[in-house]
Amino acid sequence: MQDIVKELVELYGPTGREEQVAEYIAKIMRPLVDEVYTDALGNLVAVKRGSANAEKIMLAAHMDEVGVIITDIDDNGFLRFSNIGGVSPFTLIGQRVRFADGTIGVFGQEKLDQIKDLKFSKMFIDIGASSRQEAEAKVSIGDVAVYHREFTLQGQRVIAKSLDNRIGCAVLIETARRLQASPHELYFVFTSQEEVGLRGARTAAYSLNPDYGIAVDVTGTGDTPEAHRMAVSLGKGAAIKVKDSSVISHPIVKDLLVKTAKANGISYQMEVLERGGTDAGSIHLTRSGVPTGAVSIPSRYIHSPSEMVDLGDVDNCVRLLVAVLEGPWA
Ligand code: CO
Ligand code: ZN
């Protein structure tokens, strides 16, 4: 599983350009399920069929990662950019980004009186070009770049870019792999465009029309020095979502997750995320409403090039999902 996580995080997959990630996951999922397809918005759907009256459960993990998009190229070959998804200019100082073709850029900034004045409009990307023409040979307006960082495993802790949400994708893959028999019809959906407003999950949920939904994504923690108060820590188990800004978990799903964790001795913690959303936000508002909850992987430094998760938490998330999918729901 560690090899899959390493390969997943190092893939290029900004919002709207999830093809490489989808292709990689499709190869692994095909032998594990009955059908795999990609829909119009780039969601990858893997279906494990159930009996005719089986409950239909949609599991969703988004494939896209945050990035920057090129808005302008100047006469000296410096690139101006904006963000795709939640990126802070302060996170970018000193970092590298990678374009689809492998071109590497570094961030620079204009002279500032105070560092707090830093905004995207005061920053640029330098790809080492010395003229507009030289830059345009490599990069075009509208091209998107993602953080350029290698995967690191240090003890139980993974440090990498785009663990939001390739770690969720890895959890779904591993769940499908460990699952013995399920009485349900299962849709493993690897969604597109979560980082700009839970978009892929919206059309996938409409199309699949599930009875229940579970999103699998990262959540924040409150366990670092002087952190914002949050009762979630790295290494303390799977996080069962109570709420975030996009969803209040349905009691049917939330309570079933808690009951299942307790019955199977799986470490868990309750997650109240004050800011941020997940695919559950789209799924639960589909058609006449879908009871939906979420299983979250605690993560530090979300949307930075060095996010951090604990492999014990990852394992607890997989065990919880396997147990809940193998048991009865209704
Ligand atoms: Co995110
Ligand atoms: Zn996410």
Side-chain angles (χ1 to χ4, degrees), residues 62 64 66 164-165 194-195 217-218 302-303 307:
H62 71 88
D64 58 316
V66 296
D164 175 12
N165 184 30
E194 189 271 352
E195 296 291 359
D217 202 342
V218 296
I302 293 176
H303 290 189
E307 301 172 330

Side-chain angles (χ1 to χ4, degrees), residues 37-313:
Y37 63 90
T38 303
D39 73 9
L41 286 202
N43 296 296
L44 179 78
V45 184
V47 187
K48 211 166 157 63
R49 298 258 171 247
S51 60
N53 53 2
E55 303 281 359
K56 300 195 279 178
I57 302 173
M58 173 175 173
L59 300 139
H62 71 88
M63 298 184 286
D64 58 316
E65 67 188 296
V66 296
V68 291
I69 183 164
I70 302 312
T71 55
D72 196 18
I73 301 174
D74 76 13
D75 289 342
N76 297 317
F78 293 103
L79 320 175
R80 296 292 179 155
F81 65 93
S82 181
N83 60 307
I84 297 276
V87 176
S88 156
F90 297 97
T91 309
L92 301 179
I93 298 172
Q95 298 298 337
R96 300 181 186 188
V97 282
R98 178 165 50 95
F99 291 85
D101 72 345
T103 297
I104 301 293
V106 301
F107 290 97
Q109 72 246 23
E110 299 174 4
K111 171 175 62 65
L112 298 168
D113 290 334
Q114 296 189 62
I115 193 64
K116 70 172 173 54
D117 296 334
L118 188 69
K119 313 176 184 139
F120 295 130
S121 60
K122 302 278 183 197
M123 300 184 79
F124 51 84
I125 295 172
D126 184 348
I127 56 167
S130 34
S131 66
R132 179 197 299 269
Q133 203 187 13
E134 210 183 301
E136 282 176 347
K138 286 185 169 158
V139 174
S140 304
I141 304 301
D143 282 0
V144 178
V146 299
Y147 294 130
H148 181 58
R149 262 307 171 98
E150 77 286 5
F151 166 98
T152 300
L153 178 62
Q154 193 150 263
Q156 278 284 99
R157 304 269 154 102
V158 178
I159 305 166
K161 79 163 181 69
S162 68
L163 284 167
D164 175 12
N165 184 30
R166 306 289 161 71
I167 196 66
C169 296
V171 165
L172 277 200
I173 292 169
E174 189 61 21
T175 298
R177 187 179 274 175
R178 288 195 210 167
L179 204 63
Q180 302 286 321
S182 172
H184 315 291
E185 176 141 307
L186 303 178
Y187 306 119
F188 295 90
V189 186
F190 300 88
T191 63
S192 62
Q193 302 196 27
E194 189 271 352
E195 296 291 359
V196 293
L198 326 176
R199 295 179 188 171
R202 195 194 306 186
T203 58
Y206 182 90
S207 155
L208 296 168
N209 195 13
D211 297 304
Y212 299 101
I214 299 182
V216 180
D217 202 342
V218 296
T219 190
T221 69
D223 62 348
T224 53
E226 307 293 327
H228 180 78
R229 282 291 183 92
M230 185 176 180
V232 172
S233 301
L234 231 57
K236 292 202 173 158
I240 297 173
K241 190 182 294 288
V242 179
K243 83 167 280 283
D244 62 25
S245 333
S246 71
V247 67
I248 293 174
S249 294
H250 196 288
I252 291 180
V253 181
K254 186 190 65 186
D255 294 348
L256 180 65
L257 288 166
V258 170
K259 196 178 92 184
T260 307
K262 279 186 181 151
N264 290 275
I266 295 165
S267 306
Y268 73 96
Q269 34 193 342
M270 300 311 289
E271 172 206 350
V272 178
L273 183 65
E274 291 179 49
R275 291 176 66 181
T278 64
D279 282 341
S282 281
I283 299 167
H284 83 293
L285 295 177
T286 300
R287 297 179 188 247
S288 42
V290 179
T292 302
V295 172
S296 308
I297 305 103
S299 176
R300 293 180 187 156
Y301 323 119
I302 293 176
H303 290 189
S304 84
S306 299
E307 301 172 330
M308 186 188 288
V309 302
D310 182 280
L311 285 179
D313 294 338

